Amino acid sequence: MNKLLPSILGLALSSVQADFNVSAKANVITPDHRPAKRCAVAITGSKEPPREAYRWSDFRGHFTKSRLTSSYLPVYVHVRCQEWRPVVRTLFYRPGRGWSGDSVTFIPGSKPVDLGTITLQPPR
């Protein structure tokens, strides 16, 4: 019995901390409604943008990006485009309802959260 207890506890805790995928998509445009060029996106568990280059994915005009996460804490979608102010969007998970954030309605966890159109702002 003593050998079974650690195994049972490990299984129970692993189900609580299960990994799952979060996916987001958006169109990114300039104020004059042209698709943005030379952009990158990263999804993190921090409001601070990642410093590691491998975390960023290049895109032009629109993106769909996924990331594996292991908790239901807020997830941050970072968008940076050359010569424009960086953008951060927050996604929240509500058990039983799905993902929501930044005026997005609840979306089941299996579908990409559509952040709609993100309009870039000039640097300050």
Side-chain angles (χ1 to χ4, degrees):
M1 181 66 176
N2 287 340
K3 292 181 182 180
L4 281 177
L5 189 57
S7 297
I8 293 169
L9 284 174
L11 287 173
L13 290 175
S14 67
S15 66
V16 171
Q17 292 293 324
D19 288 345
F20 61 96
N21 219 18
V22 58
S23 182
K25 64 180 182 176
N27 291 318
V28 181
I29 62 172
T30 62
D32 61 358
H33 304 287
R34 288 183 292 136
K37 296 180 181 176
R38 295 185 186 167
C39 295
V41 62
I43 298 178
T44 68
S46 169
K47 283 187 180 182
E48 296 299 316
R51 294 182 181 176
E52 303 88 0
Y54 70 88
R55 291 190 161 215
W56 292 92
S57 299
D58 294 337
F59 71 92
R60 286 178 174 256
H62 66 274
F63 68 83
T64 299
K65 172 80 174 168
S66 297
R67 178 180 186 265
L68 196 63
T69 186
S70 60
S71 70
Y72 293 117
L73 296 174
V75 173
Y76 301 93
V77 179
H78 302 269
V79 177
R80 67 179 185 194
C81 299
Q82 188 174 0
E83 301 176 11
W84 298 99
R85 189 181 322 157
V87 176
V88 180
R89 296 287 186 255
T90 308
L91 300 177
F92 295 95
Y93 186 81
R94 300 287 188 248
R97 296 190 73 189
W99 288 96
S100 181
D102 296 310
S103 74
V104 174
T105 57
F106 286 100
I107 295 172
S110 59
K111 295 184 179 181
V113 181
D114 190 346
L115 297 172
T117 299
I118 297 172
T119 303
L120 298 173
Q121 300 296 318
R124 293 179 188 181

